[in-house]
Amino acid sequence: MWIITFEEKLDTMKKRERELECIYSISDLFDLHVPLKSLLKGIIQRLPSAFIYPELAESCIVLDGELYQTGMFEKNKQSLSSNIIVHGNKHGFLSVSYREECPLHDIGPFLEDEQRLLDVITSRLCKVIEKKHVEEALLNSEKRYRMIFDVSPLGIFMDQNGTISHCNRSFLNIFGVSKNDVVGAEIFEFVNDDRLNQLFAGYLESSCPFYENEYSARISGRDIYLKSYYVPLRSKDNIIDGGIGLIADITSNKNSEEELQNQKELLTSTFNALQDLIVVVDREMKIVTSNWKSDMISPPQNEGSHPQMYDCFTHNLMPCDPCPVKDVFSTGNMKEFEHIDSVDNKVRDFRIFPVYDTKGDVIMAVSHIRDITERKETEEALKQSTSELERAYEELKSLDQLKDEFLSNLRHELNTPLTSIKGFSELLYDGTLGSLNDGQMDAIGRVVTKSGKLQNLIDSLLFVSTNQNGTIRYNFEQIELSSLLTNIVNLFFDTIKEKNMHIHTDVDFETCLIDADRTYLPQVFTSLVDNAIKFTSDHGTIHLSAFKEDKEVHVIIEDTGIGISEKDLQNLFQKFYQIDSSSTRNYGGNGLGLYISKVIVENHDGKIWIESEEGKGTKVHVRVPLRQNQFSASSSSPSISCERPLLR
């Protein structure tokens, strides 16, 4: 029989005392609800004191890859462990070992009671860890739901029989209030919803699981539309214990709906206001919609109903004729044709368009039908008018050709007697045929002057006719411009002296060669100087200047005459245009001088224009290119040889 000595009993009691102290101290840690890391560190510090050789014991905890241990812990074969199992999965272990070799007991150097102690502590630790996981999951869930609650675009409130206990930011933004003004207030201070009030008062059906309503409200001086949702929470006695409500600002949606409705009404009105007939047909050849017009087809039997397919497309088709609508469905191509109705003899234009679905299949056909009877009649009338105009144009061309031939023949017929008259009158005026008295000299002088004007008129008419036919030829050669201008001024010496006029010349070059026709270009400056003298009163002044500008020479003839009004300036270069066209006009002329001058200058690649103000004189500008290579050119139209008309 094994007798336990007093010393052994004493050691056992001390061992139990240390175990109890360890258990109590670790239990205190569990009860304090300290953070998990602090709990683990506290366990490994307190655990060695409960073992046989506490001075040699070291402990550690491994949890989810994290290591917590005393300073000299080293896992060896003299270690005691207990696994940490959380929700059925191993997450780590709790271990105790001796840093030196110790006598062997039940489990190596450890006792079975020490293993049970380790298992008890590990079991308690596992429950704490499971509880913390659950608390953390609940906390995260609460955070997520609170975040959803706060950031929801809908105004959310929770109430107890109409008293708001919670609300989110959207609710505050919708009503423009602070949270202190909302929590504890009645929902009806913000929501003007009689049915919701009846729900809380118990007047609505007690079994109502869900409630919603739309209504208008005025908040902060503006009208808005709100939509309320409410889900009541009922007790077993079907009494409302609380609930969750949603408030949505649907003003923009309402405005969009109204805008869409307005657009729909506008499109419908536009569709119905179209004068053309629009018909939409489905694959079964049924009319889906149309803007029926009574003047397009026979009226339907029932008021407001769509026309029949037969009336729109096929009532004039023969049995063997293809149906145009069916062709559109089968081919997917637009169909266009014109049709004359045998009933009312009206011409209508048919255009049938396919309508595709998302798969590319033709699901409908839209037919556009327009009455083009009036247009066809107008086209026929226009064709007839065009034919008549073409015939008239050909007649005018014939008349114009006859006119040109007449003018050409007239010049030749007039030149023969005019040459004799002019020649003999000049001989008489020069005294070649004998002396004349003063009266005879005055008379014969008038004959010479008038015959010269008549010759000039004939030559002008011939120039206009020849230019229209494009048969005028220009022979360009080098001409000295300053000498040309001097000779032209000298031609009018007697006339200038007779009217007591002053003429000033200002030419900034001594020699200036240009390529020009020696016959036609001088006639331009002669005509312009003659006009300046003619339309300037006695004692007036004429200023002739010329200067070089880049590759051109610019000639200006300025007078102090009667001037030209603004309305007449734009017509001066037209044929036969005269400012005073009455039979009693003060100034002679045939209205061709400026027209002929413009033609000649432009055929010299030049430009001519006039600046004038009524009553303040006139300034005529002529610009022609400086000397280039000698060449021979003609007017733009094809030319043939002809007699060169001379202008005087």
Side-chain angles (χ1 to χ4, degrees):
M1 183 176 179
W2 183 45
I3 300 174
I4 300 175
T5 63
F6 176 76
E7 288 78 7
E8 291 176 343
K9 290 183 178 180
L10 182 60
D11 290 340
T12 302
M13 291 180 63
K14 290 180 178 180
K15 175 74 168 54
R16 297 297 181 212
E17 183 179 354
R18 289 197 305 271
E19 289 180 356
L20 290 174
E21 288 178 355
C22 177
I23 292 174
Y24 289 146
S25 61
I26 292 175
S27 296
D28 290 340
L29 290 176
F30 288 136
D31 295 337
L32 290 175
H33 302 288
V34 296
L36 183 60
K37 289 184 178 182
S38 299
L39 175 62
L40 298 177
K41 291 178 181 179
I43 291 174
I44 63 174
Q45 290 174 358
R46 291 166 172 76
L47 188 59
S49 62
F51 285 79
I52 300 176
Y53 308 106
E55 67 279 3
L56 299 177
E58 301 289 345
S59 62
C60 82
I61 296 177
V62 176
L63 180 64
D64 294 328
E66 295 288 336
L67 176 63
Y68 306 88
Q69 65 182 24
T70 53
M72 301 180 67
F73 176 83
E74 183 178 354
K75 189 175 181 181
N76 51 49
K77 62 183 180 180
Q78 294 182 336
S79 297
L80 191 65
S81 298
S82 180
N83 291 330
I84 301 175
I85 307 298
V86 180
H87 299 302
N89 297 317
K90 181 180 178 180
H91 284 251
F93 58 87
L94 174 60
S95 180
V96 177
S97 65
Y98 293 123
R99 58 178 176 269
E100 297 178 4
E101 290 188 7
C102 297
L104 298 179
H105 294 283
D106 300 335
I107 307 173
F110 300 100
L111 299 173
E112 292 181 356
D113 291 339
E114 291 173 341
Q115 180 67 59
R116 285 194 295 270
L117 173 64
L118 201 60
D119 291 339
V120 170
I121 294 174
T122 303
S123 176
R124 181 72 184 275
L125 177 61
C126 290
K127 293 180 180 179
V128 171
I129 294 174
E130 289 181 351
K131 181 179 179 182
K132 286 186 177 295
H133 283 182
V134 172
E135 290 176 350
E136 185 177 356
L138 290 175
L139 181 60
N140 291 335
S141 177
E142 181 183 358
K143 288 181 179 179
R144 286 195 298 271
Y145 285 115
R146 182 168 293 279
M147 182 178 65
I148 295 172
F149 181 84
D150 287 336
V151 302
S152 172
L154 299 173
I156 305 175
F157 64 93
M158 301 178 66
D159 61 289
Q160 178 71 26
N161 297 330
T163 302
I164 300 175
S165 58
H166 298 82
C167 69
N168 66 347
R169 283 177 291 179
S170 296
F171 185 92
L172 302 178
N173 293 335
I174 290 174
F175 294 99
V177 293
S178 64
K179 195 167 186 178
N180 294 333
D181 296 330
V182 175
V183 176
E186 295 290 330
I187 185 61
F188 303 108
E189 295 181 16
F190 305 96
V191 177
N192 183 23
D193 190 345
D194 293 337
R195 293 197 64 208
L196 185 61
N197 193 2
Q198 294 174 6
L199 176 67
F200 284 120
Y203 296 138
L204 295 183
E205 294 181 8
S206 59
S207 61
C208 178
F210 179 78
Y211 166 78
E212 65 176 315
N213 191 23
E214 293 182 9
Y215 52 90
S216 61
R218 186 169 183 82
I219 298 174
S220 300
R222 65 187 186 95
D223 294 325
I224 64 173
Y225 287 93
L226 298 178
K227 188 168 186 177
S228 297
Y229 305 84
Y230 184 74
V231 180
L233 303 178
R234 300 179 182 273
S235 64
K236 294 181 179 179
D237 300 330
N238 205 22
I239 299 174
I240 297 178
D241 290 336
I244 298 176
L246 304 177
I247 298 291
D249 185 351
I250 59 172
T251 306
S252 59
N253 294 343
K254 279 290 186 181
N255 293 337
S256 299
E257 290 176 2
E258 292 179 1
E259 182 64 24
L260 288 174
Q261 184 63 29
N262 293 336
Q263 291 292 334
K264 182 179 179 181
E265 292 177 358
L266 177 61
L267 290 174
T268 302
S269 300
T270 304
F271 181 70
N272 293 329
L274 292 175
Q275 295 303 311
D276 300 335
L277 177 60
I278 308 296
V279 181
V280 182
V281 184
D282 61 15
R283 293 191 65 88
E284 296 179 357
M285 305 298 286
K286 294 181 179 178
I287 303 287
V288 177
T289 185
S290 71
N291 62 335
W292 173 79
K293 298 288 188 303
S294 60
D295 59 339
M296 295 293 292
I297 56 176
S298 301
Q301 298 296 325
N302 300 325
E303 184 178 357
S305 63
H306 296 303
Q308 296 299 313
M309 180 68 193
Y310 177 84
D311 296 327
C312 292
F313 303 104
T314 60
H315 63 288
N316 287 312
L317 295 178
M318 298 300 292
C320 59
D321 292 338
C323 176
V325 182
K326 291 182 179 180
D327 287 346
V328 172
F329 279 113
S330 60
T331 64
N333 298 324
M334 189 268 285
K335 191 79 173 179
E336 182 177 8
F337 60 93
E338 293 180 2
H339 176 70
I340 301 176
D341 197 319
S342 59
V343 177
D344 54 11
N345 293 323
K346 288 189 175 183
V347 184
R348 295 186 176 90
D349 178 65
F350 285 74
R351 295 185 182 184
I352 308 173
F353 303 89
V355 179
Y356 300 92
D357 61 9
T358 55
K359 298 179 180 179
D361 298 328
V362 181
I363 57 173
M364 286 187 294
V366 179
S367 179
H368 173 258
I369 307 172
R370 172 175 292 179
D371 186 347
I372 58 172
T373 306
E374 185 176 347
R375 191 188 77 186
K376 283 293 184 180
E377 293 174 352
T378 303
E379 289 177 356
E380 291 298 326
L382 183 60
K383 288 180 181 179
Q384 185 176 355
S385 299
T386 303
S387 299
E388 293 176 355
L389 287 174
E390 289 176 351
R391 290 194 297 270
Y393 176 71
E394 293 298 328
E395 292 176 0
L396 286 175
K397 285 177 63 178
S398 300
L399 292 174
D400 191 57
Q401 185 176 358
L402 290 174
K403 178 206 68 175
D404 293 338
E405 294 176 357
F406 171 76
L407 288 175
S408 180
N409 294 332
L410 179 64
R411 180 180 184 275
H412 287 289
E413 294 297 327
L414 291 176
N415 267 338
T416 300
L418 183 60
T419 300
S420 299
I421 294 172
K422 185 179 179 185
F424 284 112
S425 62
E426 288 177 349
L427 290 174
L428 289 172
Y429 188 75
D430 293 338
T432 304
L433 300 179
S435 60
L436 301 176
N437 58 36
D438 292 341
Q440 291 172 334
M441 285 293 292
D442 182 62
I444 202 66
R446 292 177 180 273
V447 173
V448 171
T449 301
K450 297 299 182 181
S451 62
K453 290 184 177 181
L454 181 59
Q455 182 71 57
N456 186 49
L457 174 60
I458 294 172
D459 290 340
S460 297
L461 292 173
L462 180 61
F463 180 92
V464 172
S465 176
T466 307
N467 180 70
Q468 287 180 339
N469 294 331
T471 56
I472 295 180
R473 295 184 62 85
Y474 296 86
N475 296 320
F476 290 92
E477 56 183 303
Q478 292 183 0
I479 297 177
E480 208 290 306
L481 184 61
S482 58
S483 300
L484 171 64
L485 295 176
T486 300
N487 293 335
I488 290 173
V489 172
N490 292 334
L491 287 176
F492 295 94
F493 178 78
D494 294 335
T495 306
I496 292 173
K497 184 178 180 181
E498 182 180 347
K499 297 185 68 173
N500 292 321
M501 299 176 65
H502 301 279
I503 184 166
H504 301 283
T505 58
D506 182 12
V507 180
D508 69 349
F509 46 79
E510 294 181 359
T511 301
C512 179
L513 295 178
I514 62 173
D515 291 322
D517 186 289
R518 190 175 294 277
T519 300
Y520 286 120
L521 187 62
Q523 294 174 4
V524 173
F525 295 110
T526 301
S527 176
L528 297 178
V529 173
D530 182 46
N531 283 343
I533 296 172
K534 182 192 303 183
F535 294 104
T536 302
S537 60
D538 295 351
H539 307 287
T541 301
I542 296 174
H543 190 91
L544 188 149
S545 60
F547 49 90
K548 296 178 181 178
E549 287 183 349
D550 297 330
K551 297 181 180 181
E552 295 180 320
V553 60
H554 190 168
V555 180
I556 301 176
I557 302 172
E558 183 177 5
D559 63 59
T560 58
I562 61 176
I564 305 169
S565 64
E566 184 177 357
K567 68 177 182 178
D568 291 321
L569 274 176
Q570 56 186 353
N571 300 317
L572 286 178
F573 292 104
Q574 295 182 7
K575 286 186 294 186
F576 303 108
Y577 181 80
Q578 291 179 315
I579 297 176
D580 183 8
S581 59
S582 64
S583 60
T584 59
R585 61 181 184 270
N586 296 324
Y587 306 98
N590 52 31
L592 292 174
L594 288 177
Y595 167 75
I596 293 174
S597 297
K598 186 175 186 295
V599 171
I600 294 174
V601 170
E602 290 180 350
N603 285 332
H604 280 71
D605 294 330
K607 184 179 180 182
I608 182 172
W609 72 95
I610 296 177
E611 296 176 353
S612 183
E613 187 175 348
E614 193 170 8
K616 295 186 179 181
T618 302
K619 184 184 293 185
V620 183
H621 299 261
V622 177
R623 295 178 67 172
V624 291
L626 290 171
R627 183 186 64 184
Q628 300 176 5
N629 294 331
Q630 296 187 27
F631 62 98
S632 178
S634 64
S635 58
S636 57
S637 303
S639 61
I640 58 174
S641 298
C642 71
E643 183 178 358
R644 291 161 55 83
L646 302 178
L647 305 181
R648 294 182 177 86

